[in-house]
Amino acid sequence: MREPKTIGLDQLVEALRGAGETTRLRLLALLQSGDLTVKDLTQILGQSQPRVSRHLKLLVEAELIERFPEGSWVYYRPSKSAVGLTTQTLLETLNPSDGVLQRDQERLAEVKSRNAESAARYFAQSAQHWDKIRSHHISEQAVEKALLELVGEKPFGTLLDVGTGTGRMLELLQNHYADGVGIDSSLEMLAVARANLDASGTSHAQVRFGDIFNLPVARNTFDVAVVHQVLHFLDDPGRAIKEIAQALRPGGRLLIVDFAPHELEFLRNEHAHRRLGFDEAQIANWVDEIGLDLISTTHLAPEKPRAEALTVNIWLAQDPRILMAGDTANALSTINPETV
């Protein structure tokens, strides 16, 4: 259970001043529904880009929202700080049938629809390549079923999905975590993920641009981290595992999903796979070197074994540090958008 956050009198006054303007309140209300860019907000509000940017700057300075650059774009979202959470509580008292707010929500739906169409076009262009790869291994449904069994039914606080792609892991586990963060280095895939999260109603997860070797999250923060079919694209998977492990809180779990060793060279030549799978000893060594305990390895072979069949493995590792009293609440309150 979250412990309530408190703020000082002067800090609350500054927060109220920051939010105390019609346009800024409209911005805060819109951002409750997910990440939006200046372009999105300008289209919704019907105001000039400099005006909207100025209001957003004031909200950032008041710690009511956070900004996250992605290439040439910048996304905004509600702050997880005590100030931000306090303001979100105040926003719940707004009448949703207010005419101005209703029009904002209608325009927001139009913007999200256009963004979803753009993401769908990109996904359709790439889908044929992914389908060719999927044809060589067990169904995604079987992999997801195994993942759910390994995660278990007990809910947890925070999820980190590294190389989130379409955001599928955030969707799959949405009923298990309180706060989720997906990281990806592809702006196109982040657009797909945002569209999918919107469509599935996964409002307690966010995605952001980031480098797997320099994750934009705080250390000792996440209960569960997932890296799903990502390591085989990397020159230095061990370094990536180390970076992800540092984001785990004491007792946190790491789930690695990737291929067992294989000889399908077309994956290297046509799909940029740097590694043709990983054997158990290799993953075990990397996990051991960074101080995690390897708990289990699950082997998922294709239903119809053949020469070009790929086996998917799921490795479950755990941070052996002991969770101290009070850390449960702290873990939920320390998702930091800045790299530590």
Side-chain angles (χ1 to χ4, degrees):
M1 181 178 179
R2 289 179 193 259
E3 290 184 354
K5 297 182 178 182
T6 59
I7 58 177
L9 179 62
D10 291 342
Q11 197 175 16
L12 178 58
V13 170
E14 288 300 314
L16 292 173
R17 283 196 185 121
E21 195 275 340
T22 301
T23 297
R24 291 199 286 277
L25 270 177
R26 292 168 68 189
L27 288 168
L28 288 171
L30 285 165
L31 290 172
Q32 300 305 305
S33 65
D35 301 351
L36 295 169
T37 66
V38 175
K39 179 181 178 182
D40 295 333
L41 294 165
T42 298
Q43 292 175 349
I44 295 167
L45 297 180
Q47 299 182 13
S48 68
Q49 185 270 329
R51 178 179 172 83
V52 172
S53 293
R54 181 173 63 83
H55 284 302
L56 290 169
K57 182 175 183 293
L58 292 172
L59 291 172
V60 170
E61 291 174 348
E63 298 183 27
L64 298 175
I65 64 174
E66 299 166 350
R67 67 189 302 276
F68 294 89
E70 286 186 11
S72 60
W73 290 4
V74 176
Y75 280 89
Y76 292 86
R77 64 176 62 108
S79 171
K80 294 288 186 180
S81 68
V83 175
L85 294 175
T86 299
T87 308
Q88 288 176 43
T89 301
L90 292 175
L91 288 170
E92 293 172 4
T93 65
L94 285 173
N95 183 356
S97 63
D98 178 273
V100 173
L101 296 178
Q102 280 190 328
R103 286 193 295 275
D104 285 349
Q105 289 300 313
E106 290 168 1
R107 295 189 186 106
L108 171 64
E110 293 172 2
V111 166
K112 287 196 171 186
S113 177
R114 287 197 295 271
N115 292 343
E117 289 172 4
S118 176
R121 284 195 296 272
Y122 171 79
F123 186 84
Q125 292 168 0
S126 304
Q128 58 180 334
H129 302 298
W130 296 331
D131 287 343
K132 183 178 180 181
I133 297 173
R134 289 193 189 104
S135 69
H136 290 277
H137 64 76
I138 195 170
S139 70
E140 294 292 335
Q141 292 82 358
V143 175
E144 292 178 358
K145 180 175 182 291
L147 270 171
L148 288 170
E149 290 174 354
L150 287 168
V151 169
E153 298 182 359
K154 185 177 179 180
F156 54 88
T158 48
L159 172 70
L160 176 63
D161 181 22
V162 182
T164 192
T166 64
R168 178 55 188 161
M169 292 298 103
L170 294 171
E171 288 184 70
L172 178 70
L173 300 173
Q174 64 177 298
N175 294 325
H176 292 72
Y177 60 84
D179 286 297
V181 176
I183 307 294
D184 206 286
S185 60
S186 166
L187 300 179
E188 292 83 2
M189 291 312 301
L190 287 172
V192 173
R194 286 192 176 93
N196 288 342
L197 293 176
D198 284 341
S200 65
T202 311
S203 59
H204 55 302
Q206 57 181 251
V207 296
R208 63 180 71 151
F209 181 80
D211 181 357
I212 194 171
F213 298 112
N214 187 19
L215 293 172
V217 297
R219 303 296 190 234
N220 302 303
T221 301
F222 293 91
D223 294 290
V224 175
V226 179
V227 55
H228 179 271
Q229 297 290 15
V230 173
L231 296 184
H232 57 249
F233 289 109
L234 307 178
D235 283 319
D236 193 352
R239 180 181 161 207
I241 294 173
K242 181 179 180 180
E243 175 71 8
I244 299 167
Q246 290 175 339
L248 292 175
R249 57 189 286 225
R253 292 172 289 166
L254 170 62
L255 286 158
I256 300 170
V257 184
D258 221 300
F259 297 125
H262 62 84
E263 298 180 357
L264 302 187
E265 285 290 341
F266 84 90
L267 293 178
R268 189 177 349 243
N269 299 329
E270 300 176 24
H271 299 283
H273 287 210
R274 304 295 294 174
R275 303 296 186 95
L276 297 183
F278 304 94
D279 61 38
E280 292 186 53
Q282 199 168 33
I283 296 293
N285 286 338
W286 282 328
V287 166
D288 183 65
E289 286 174 359
I290 58 179
L292 299 185
D293 293 334
L294 184 60
I295 305 302
S296 66
T297 304
T298 302
H299 306 280
L300 301 171
E303 294 90 341
K304 298 179 180 180
R306 58 190 188 280
E308 293 190 342
L310 294 170
T311 293
V312 175
N313 286 343
I314 305 177
W315 291 271
L316 171 62
Q318 187 165 28
D319 188 314
R321 293 174 297 168
I322 299 174
L323 184 65
M324 304 303 290
D327 281 352
T328 300
N330 292 336
L332 286 171
S333 64
T334 55
I335 293 185
N336 191 328
E338 304 298 333
T339 303
V340 174

